[in-house]
Amino acid sequence: MLRPSDPVAGLGGLNMAQKRAIKSLGAETVGDLLEITPRRYDDYSNTVSIRAAPRNEPVTIKVTVKQLKKQPGFRRRITIIRGLLEDATGSLAVVWFNQPWLLDELKPGREIFVSGTITAKPKFGSQMANPIWEATDSPLVAAGTIAPVYPLTGSVAQKTMRELMARIVEDVDDAPDPIPEDVRSRARVAPLLDAYRSVHRPTSLDDAEEGRRRLAFDEILVYRLALGSARHDADEAGAPAVPFDEAFAKKFVSHLPFPLTPDQKKAAWASFQDMTLTRPMRRLLQGDVGSGKTVVAAFLMAMASRSDQSAVMMAPTELLAKQHASSVRRFLQVEGTPVLLLTSSEKTLWEGGEKTVFNLKQARERVLRGRLVVLGTHALLERSMLPPDTALAVVDEQHRFGVAQREALSVATRPDGKVPHLLSMTATPIPRSLALTFYGDLDVSVIRQKPSGRLPITTRVLVGEGRPLDFAQGRLPAYDLVRREVAAGHRAFVVCPLIDPSDRLGVKSATDEAKRLAAGPLRGLRIGLLHGRLSNADKDGVMSSFVEGLLDVLVATTVVEVGVDVPEATVMLIEGAERFGLAQLHQLRGRVGRSSHPSFCFLLTDAEGDAVDRLTVLERTNDGFVIAEEDMKLRGSGNVLGTQQSGRDIFRAARSTDLELMTLAREAAESLLQNDPDLAKSPLLAARVASVRETSHRE
Ligand code: ADP
Ligand code: MG
């Protein structure tokens, strides 16, 4: 007998593999384990005889092992085991890869269930490859059932997880439900214990979906409750007001090198109104790549500093923080506002026409004195480097949805307990239905028009001919264009994908490509190389050479994905384009088309079929919202919630397509909070809310 609150440490009778599984999942209680939702299910419930077994769909067959042999030779590192199984109706060939122990386990004469898909190949005849199997004398875990497919980490086998979970659901006979009965019945979701059973040992795919729906409901509900309480806390704490100085605003605008677009003005004006209040602003600024979000942020920061308070802006990378420092400095020149760049490798202050380089201690001292604008990386600013008089915090390009969700939850507080106004900027278009649920209380401003004079980026998909390394023919038009553009004084990016998993930073793929281009297709051009392994000083050096025009072509990994702004760059070549998502390609493409010169993007691929068709969406449109929607359709219910299926993510069961459920959970959260603002009557729910808020603070 088990309860969800029991510690996993107390679980008896586990084998080593199962203990390792639990440890790698970081689960502390039985409930933690039960909340792990399968990625999908394999339907092995179709039990048939060998003769009646259909091809190309999952089946389960009860068989006797006739013989099992190791296939000699071939490639040394792979063990291949071939077997022959039989039942009353015929015999079946099977093959297993890399499971040498089967020779000991599956002796001739043993009766087992095998589950898998039989395929027929002209050369090998019909066979089942890598079937799962189970002894007929033990209760079935996978064979003959709807088998959950769990997200796995490291060395834990699917079989281990299935056995572990099957056993746990079997033993749990009571699960106190954190959600009151009336709320549950209004949303028509199953009781918790039933949901656990449906999810881990479903009797049908519909049953599994019922269970998932309940767990998803919980996640969304808890998230909404956490949002509500975060907002409540922020309101209680209050924000420093930033008075609106109209004369100053006019002066700022008149000193800009360009007129603001109507949407930029609207976004700035809405924010100024929020900032005059002592209720903390929580605003999301959405604008496609190149739409000009930075200047809006600079405008707000200038206003904060006009009121003798500080403002900070956080970027996801050092590269971007540096770029912000230089553009924001340009925009702020009018007033001579002190600007501090704060990254792990560089701490520089510009004040009164002077530039001072600090060490960490000096930088911290300066930060503590306040009255400045700080541009830095999240990593640095979130930790103790927030000026005590910060009135405004801007978060740029936090375009991973999952991170943004946490940000909506966390409330940065100053030493005096006040909460700075928050502007969060993203180029990721978020469909309205999701924005409503996941940002809920954030106000949203959208920049739709691009600055005038921008031309759409001409995009072409080029399919390489022949072998992957035979770059010759298909890529020629792209290289010709690079040469022509460089001759006209412009620049080009070449982005390389991560190919080899051991090459996590893309060092090899980008280095090889730079060499190849220099030796052949782009010989004679000045080619630079940018990847994650370079020292910060080298990255800087390469980047500024490219910005200044000392390099014609920059071969890079996706480090250039977000925010990099080099208006003279007019060509973007993306190698291995099929490896990227559409939204990411759109981001990368957004590195060009930042001036009034025509720009071009080539998506180079050696793939075929669907992978190529998908890319043509980018040929047809430059609209980030359209692309995001296509991306969502193509990827189906998957990952728009942006969270990986690991660790303790907030959303594991919920999907971006659960629109009805989102509405139900939103309503449930509202009514719960209305009747019981502190959730005093639902302690289990309150504990979950607290834990979500706690997690978002730590990350
Ligand atoms: P993003 O929204 O992708 O962060 P940026 O803020 O980097 O875009 O702006 C892209 C480029 O457009 C920059 O070079 C910026 O100076 C320029 N820009 C911004 N607003 C305008 C405008 N209203 N008119 C002309 N150029 C502008
Ligand atoms: Mg930007």
Side-chain angles (χ1 to χ4, degrees):
M1 241 182 285
L2 277 176
R3 288 168 59 93
S5 55
D6 291 344
V8 283
L11 282 176
L14 297 178
N15 62 32
M16 286 303 286
Q18 291 168 331
K19 283 185 189 152
R20 208 170 48 228
I22 292 177
K23 197 157 171 230
S24 74
L25 294 165
E28 275 158 30
T29 63
V30 169
D32 290 346
L33 286 175
L34 290 169
E35 295 283 329
I36 294 171
T37 14
R39 233 193 263 289
R40 61 184 168 83
Y41 296 87
D42 284 335
D43 186 353
Y44 294 120
S45 58
N46 185 14
T47 305
V48 291
S49 68
I50 290 178
R51 186 185 310 172
R55 300 293 178 266
N56 303 316
E57 58 184 80
V59 290
T60 296
I61 312 175
K62 188 176 184 181
V63 292
T64 309
V65 178
K66 183 140 187 243
Q67 60 164 1
L68 216 60
K69 267 208 232 110
K70 189 167 156 202
Q71 177 170 317
F74 197 56
R75 280 188 230 141
R76 221 177 312 145
R77 284 209 228 123
I78 307 180
T79 349
I80 298 181
I81 290 177
R82 292 197 177 277
L84 202 61
L85 312 174
E86 58 184 8
D87 69 3
T89 68
S91 60
L92 172 70
V94 286
V95 56
W96 277 286
F97 300 100
N98 284 337
Q99 301 187 40
W101 56 86
L102 292 182
L103 289 173
D104 294 327
E105 292 186 3
L106 300 182
K107 296 287 186 209
R110 180 150 190 212
E111 201 176 61
I112 59 171
F113 283 104
V114 281
S115 295
T117 303
I118 303 177
T119 51
K121 293 244 175 71
K123 209 160 141 204
F124 298 104
S126 287
Q127 70 169 16
M128 200 183 245
N130 266 336
I132 52 173
W133 68 274
E134 271 160 337
T136 49
D137 52 10
S138 69
L140 294 189
V141 171
T145 69
I146 310 245
V149 179
Y150 291 99
L152 294 180
T153 45
S155 57
V156 178
Q158 196 60 254
K159 195 170 178 181
T160 307
M161 274 301 280
R162 283 177 179 158
E163 282 165 1
L164 177 65
M165 296 300 228
R167 190 188 132 191
I168 290 175
V169 238
E170 197 85 349
D171 288 352
V172 171
D173 54 9
D174 181 23
D177 203 314
I179 300 190
E181 158 98 63
D182 58 319
V183 175
R184 236 167 41 217
S185 70
R186 220 170 309 138
R188 296 180 313 280
V189 293
L192 190 57
L193 185 59
D194 295 358
Y196 285 149
R197 289 193 176 136
S198 304
V199 161
H200 299 290
R201 302 226 56 182
T203 53
S204 67
L205 289 174
D206 285 345
D207 183 31
E209 172 60 15
E210 270 297 292
R212 184 198 71 80
R213 207 173 154 270
R214 160 65 206 252
L215 299 189
F217 178 79
D218 288 18
E219 289 171 356
I220 303 170
L221 176 71
V222 167
Y223 179 76
R224 292 293 313 190
L225 292 170
L227 264 188
S229 75
R231 174 84 248 188
H232 181 261
D233 289 357
D235 287 356
E236 292 266 279
V242 176
F244 179 65
D245 181 336
E246 192 175 347
F248 172 74
K250 287 201 172 125
K251 186 168 158 205
F252 181 91
V253 171
S254 70
H255 279 79
L256 289 175
F258 42 71
L260 291 177
T261 63
D263 281 351
Q264 284 173 322
K265 277 189 202 152
K266 249 190 265 165
W269 257 234
S271 309
F272 285 140
Q273 280 179 356
D274 292 349
M275 286 161 60
T276 58
L277 306 176
T278 54
R279 177 176 199 245
M281 168 170 84
R282 296 176 82 71
R283 181 169 290 276
L284 181 71
L285 178 57
Q286 270 184 276
D288 209 347
V289 284
S291 62
K293 297 184 289 291
T294 318
V295 66
V296 175
F299 198 0
L300 307 192
M301 294 198 287
M303 193 62 77
S305 97
R306 174 75 184 168
S307 72
D308 291 329
Q309 308 183 72
S310 293
V312 303
M313 177 154 161
M314 302 179 221
T317 63
E318 292 212 29
L319 203 64
L320 211 50
K322 277 174 202 168
Q323 190 181 292
H324 284 154
S326 80
S327 50
V328 167
R329 224 154 24 88
R330 216 167 2 108
F331 295 136
L332 293 186
Q333 244 156 24
V334 217
E335 289 292 293
T337 309
V339 172
L340 176 68
L341 169 65
L342 203 62
T343 72
S344 58
S345 68
E346 190 179 347
K347 286 115 197 129
T348 307
L349 177 76
W350 291 267
E351 181 163 26
E354 306 243 326
K355 177 178 162 179
T356 322
V357 176
F358 286 146
N359 62 29
L360 183 63
K361 185 159 166 277
Q362 293 164 325
R364 183 168 286 140
E365 279 165 15
R366 180 60 191 88
V367 165
L368 285 177
R369 298 218 315 274
R371 292 176 79 163
L372 81 174
V373 166
V374 187
L375 292 316
T377 48
H378 296 279
L380 213 60
L381 271 169
E382 278 166 6
R383 262 188 281 124
S384 71
M385 292 295 258
L386 198 69
D389 61 345
T390 303
L392 169 70
V394 181
V395 182
D396 188 28
E397 298 290 4
Q398 193 57 287
H399 70 261
R400 276 183 43 225
F401 203 68
V403 180
Q405 283 153 1
R406 294 200 186 95
E407 184 189 297
L409 284 177
S410 61
V411 176
T413 36
R414 317 195 307 189
D416 65 0
K418 288 200 173 148
V419 174
H421 297 288
L422 173 75
L423 181 75
S424 184
M425 309 201 291
T426 179
T428 309
I430 302 154
R432 214 187 112 68
S433 52
L434 297 189
L436 208 62
T437 298
F438 295 105
Y439 297 109
D441 62 327
L442 293 197
D443 296 306
V444 181
S445 291
V446 181
I447 305 185
R448 282 204 177 269
Q449 332 99 319
K450 297 249 168 114
S452 61
R454 295 286 169 77
L455 302 168
I457 302 163
T458 308
T459 301
R460 278 185 61 196
V461 178
L462 292 183
V463 182
E465 283 162 18
R467 294 169 298 122
L469 286 173
D470 182 5
F471 289 96
Q473 291 306 317
R475 287 166 169 77
L476 276 184
Y479 298 135
D480 283 351
L481 193 98
V482 169
R483 286 185 181 280
R484 255 182 288 141
E485 284 294 306
V486 167
H490 302 150
R491 277 154 242 166
F493 287 105
V494 177
V495 173
C496 304
L498 306 185
I499 295 175
D500 186 347
S502 67
D503 183 24
R504 267 191 27 238
L505 297 170
V507 181
K508 185 169 177 306
S509 103
T511 311
D512 290 355
E513 181 67 3
K515 277 194 203 134
R516 195 186 67 79
L517 291 173
L522 298 179
R523 192 183 353 218
L525 302 189
R526 296 166 302 170
I527 299 178
L529 173 65
L530 191 67
H531 58 63
R533 186 60 61 72
L534 295 181
S535 71
N536 283 318
D538 286 350
K539 268 189 224 157
D540 268 6
V542 173
M543 203 59 215
S544 47
S545 304
F546 188 62
V547 171
E548 286 160 28
L550 302 173
L551 291 171
D552 305 313
V553 178
L554 188 64
V555 178
T557 57
T558 52
V559 290
V560 299
E561 181 185 350
V562 285
V564 169
D565 185 33
V566 182
E568 293 82 3
T570 55
V571 195
M572 166 65 66
L573 259 66
I574 304 175
E575 281 291 345
E578 77 282 357
R579 290 168 185 268
F580 297 100
L582 292 184
Q584 196 183 6
L585 289 169
H586 180 63
Q587 270 284 339
L588 285 166
R589 173 170 71 173
R591 298 312 108 217
V592 298
R594 301 187 148 244
S595 67
S596 51
H597 301 292
S599 289
F600 308 88
C601 173
F602 291 96
L603 304 174
L604 309 178
T605 176
D606 294 297
E608 295 169 352
D610 287 355
V612 176
D613 292 346
R614 184 179 70 101
L615 297 176
T616 60
V617 171
L618 287 140
E619 284 185 343
R620 292 194 298 272
T621 179
N622 270 281
D623 183 332
F625 278 81
V626 174
I627 290 163
E629 259 156 39
E630 282 294 321
D631 213 15
M632 211 164 114
K633 265 189 242 156
L634 290 167
R635 282 195 287 175
S637 56
N639 248 318
V640 183
L641 299 184
T643 50
Q644 310 116 324
Q645 292 261 350
S646 69
R648 290 165 175 241
D649 270 310
I650 306 177
F651 299 105
R652 292 188 293 195
R655 297 187 182 149
S656 51
T657 42
D658 287 332
L659 299 182
E660 189 227 353
L661 206 57
M662 289 178 196
T663 310
L664 290 169
R666 255 192 343 252
E667 286 166 5
E670 267 160 38
S671 88
L672 274 167
L673 285 179
Q674 207 159 41
N675 301 328
D676 182 14
D678 301 322
L679 298 176
K681 284 182 243 152
S682 316
L684 285 172
L685 203 51
R688 286 198 187 194
V689 171
S691 129
V692 161
R693 288 199 59 189
E694 157 79 4
T695 318
S696 67
H697 267 292
R698 265 189 283 117
E699 278 165 1

